[in-house]
Amino acid sequence: MFAEQKKYIESHVAQTEIEDAALTSKKIELNAWLFKAQYKKSHYKGWSLYSAEILDWEPIQ
């Protein structure tokens, strides 16, 4: 789901300031989730439920 949301957010052009603020908020939320998941995978390895490929994912720009 992260990859799909990333693709949408990076390609979408906001039409209003409110929409831009909402997209920025979502970027922050999703990137925070990604950084937390990557941290858990890198520090807890086999104990983490995340796939190893999550370490290769890039944050939303």
Side-chain angles (χ1 to χ4, degrees):
M1 183 181 278
F2 176 84
E4 291 174 22
Q5 290 179 334
K6 178 182 180 190
K7 185 189 301 184
Y8 173 78
I9 290 172
E10 290 181 339
S11 67
H12 185 76
V13 177
Q15 302 297 318
T16 66
E17 290 181 19
I18 293 172
E19 186 180 14
D20 185 50
L23 287 172
T24 299
S25 177
K26 193 64 173 176
K27 284 181 198 178
I28 292 167
E29 177 187 331
L30 291 170
N31 284 337
W33 173 86
L34 177 62
F35 296 141
K36 191 181 302 181
Q38 288 175 331
Y39 176 85
K40 288 178 181 178
K41 185 61 182 177
S42 66
H43 285 81
Y44 302 118
K45 310 230 184 286
W47 293 99
S48 171
L49 299 177
Y50 297 107
S51 169
E53 73 180 29
I54 200 164
L55 297 173
D56 297 329
W57 292 3
E58 297 291 325
I60 299 170
Q61 299 299 318

